[in-house]
Amino acid sequence: MKNRFIGRPGLGLALFIVLASCLTAATPPPGFIALFNGKDLSGWRGGQTYDHRQLLALPEAERAALIGKWTSALTELKDGKPHWRVEDGVIVNDGFGDYATTVRDYGDFELLLEYKIDPGADSGVYLRGVPQVQIWDPTAPDPKGHGYAKGSGGLWNNAVGTPGRDPLVRADRPVGEWNHLRILMVGARVSVWLNGQAVVDHVVLENYYDRRLPAAERRPVPPRGPIQLQTHGGPTSWRNIYLREIPPAEGVAYLAARGNEGFTPIFNGRDLEGWAGARDSVAIADRSLTWLPGKGGVLYWATELRDFEARLQFKLHKAGNNGLAIRYPGSGNAAYDGMTELQILDDQYEINKPAKLDPRQVHGSIYGMVPAARGYQHPIGEWNFQTVSVQGSRIRVELNGTPILDADVNTIDLATVLEGKAHPGLKRASGFFGFAGHNDPVAFRDITVKRLP
């Protein structure tokens, strides 16, 4: 079911009041499921601040034992009562014990919940197991300067000073009253509304677990993971916890509608006006261009670019292979004579081909030189949304809302590149943007470009 709110990032107070009225009902709003049944903690397990990828990588028996230990901690007694309990249709935590964690993992989602804190409480909502949307008492003393007075709802574990770490406005209700929280997560991009006011607007959630690693080794947040309710420092109560999974087509439409100011369409959806190169290698239908089977070559927009950002959608078949030509000179091989080729490739290529891949050949990689993070494509047959930014020698790629590559080509040791091939075009300062066909019917649409200063 299409959700009437997802395309409204600045959800108004009037609409939120309507939504909040649904939250008090016995059944979830249309399209949502209840994560809490109002009776007990069925569907929840224990958890901690623990990298979900690391948890999944454990041997099954070891993983089950660890989860069992965390889950037992939920019901440990303090003053005769368990840390986590259900009272009158409300989840209550005393401020101690491990975190309530969904048994299921989720990808893109919209989450609605209500919470209430006691004075001095400090809590949060982990997204895909990653901390966190911050919840705390904005009136509490703050000797360490954490920013309590700025209010709740920010992505507190993002880097200090970055957008979204602190909420845009203080929207908390007085301590002891119920607050309404709405969280939208598409890829790694998160938007948060607290009591009907936007407090985080389309910000990338950083991966807390990798932040101390060298920049080249950091991974984005996982593509799937649990929802966690974290509490410490004081009692917190939770109720009306509802979630709606966002399907790929809706996520693409949402991302395509955000941040497109200043972009110019370079493909009109009807013909190849303004394009040069391998024009006979593609067919055009339904406002998309599709590479013809058995056809190769480079099709490029015949306007030279220096620094730019491109936005586009692509759709793959099994083992589909294509590429984005970056600063292509108009002839030769895009990967070597141009600045580079960014891979467009089925994430399951080794299975569907089958074939062996070097990590620097997977989707989004600077071909043969820098690997991209993997696992963020939509299923075969679904459209994907991708942005590419090229500024000087730095290239960044974001796939379906998740940054998967950020690299400076000037730092590449050419002695280590795949097959030791020369890259004479690597330091090109300008060139053309286009597609490097590899005989597979990969489709593209909604191709736009913005020049960068």
Side-chain angles (χ1 to χ4, degrees), residues 54-299:
Q54 183 178 340
L55 179 68
L56 295 178
L58 293 175
E60 184 175 354
E62 188 175 341
R63 181 170 65 250
L66 185 57
I67 290 174
K69 177 182 176 182
W70 290 336
T71 303
S72 296
L74 295 183
T75 54
E76 289 177 350
L77 298 182
K78 181 178 182 292
D79 300 328
K81 293 183 178 180
H83 293 310
W84 290 84
R85 59 190 183 274
V86 176
E87 296 179 351
D88 300 323
V90 173
I91 298 176
V92 179
N93 174 264
D94 61 7
F96 296 91
D98 290 336
Y99 311 149
T101 304
T102 58
V103 171
R104 284 193 58 195
D105 292 343
Y106 299 96
D108 294 346
F109 61 82
E110 184 176 8
L111 176 67
L112 311 173
L113 61 82
E114 294 180 285
Y115 71 87
K116 180 174 64 174
I117 59 175
D118 279 17
D122 188 342
S123 182
V125 180
Y126 284 29
L127 310 179
R128 301 190 200 140
V130 177
Q132 77 191 20
V133 175
Q134 184 66 44
I135 295 170
W136 51 22
D137 177 359
T139 66
D142 192 7
K144 295 184 178 180
H146 288 318
Y148 298 155
K150 295 176 183 178
S152 302
L155 305 181
W156 196 79
N157 291 95
N158 276 14
V160 174
T162 58
R165 185 183 191 273
D166 297 320
L168 296 170
V169 295
R170 176 168 157 174
D172 304 65
R173 290 177 178 165
V175 170
E177 293 188 13
W178 286 101
N179 293 267
H180 301 280
L181 194 64
R182 176 186 178 228
I183 301 169
L184 189 67
M185 187 172 193
V186 179
R189 291 199 170 270
V190 175
S191 295
V192 181
W193 294 262
L194 178 60
N195 297 319
Q197 298 189 62
V199 292
V200 173
D201 185 21
H202 205 56
V203 173
V204 170
L205 177 65
E206 297 173 13
N207 183 7
Y208 169 85
Y209 302 104
D210 281 11
R211 63 183 181 176
R212 290 183 175 85
L213 294 177
E217 298 177 23
R218 294 175 197 158
R219 301 163 299 173
V221 298
R224 296 183 64 83
I227 305 298
Q228 293 180 269
L229 307 180
Q230 177 226 43
T231 62
H232 57 92
T236 303
S237 300
W238 314 82
R239 70 182 185 186
N240 296 324
I241 308 171
Y242 303 125
L243 182 139
R244 183 181 70 86
E245 295 187 81
I246 297 172
E250 186 179 346
V252 166
Y254 173 73
L255 293 169
R258 297 301 311 266
N260 53 20
E261 297 83 4
F263 283 83
T264 300
I266 61 173
F267 169 56
N268 61 26
R270 301 182 306 274
D271 55 40
L272 292 174
E273 179 183 357
W275 290 75
R279 292 167 58 95
D280 294 335
S281 293
V282 298
I284 298 173
D286 298 325
R287 301 196 63 79
S288 65
L289 61 85
T290 303
W291 219 264
L292 295 172
K295 295 283 189 177
V298 180
L299 175 70

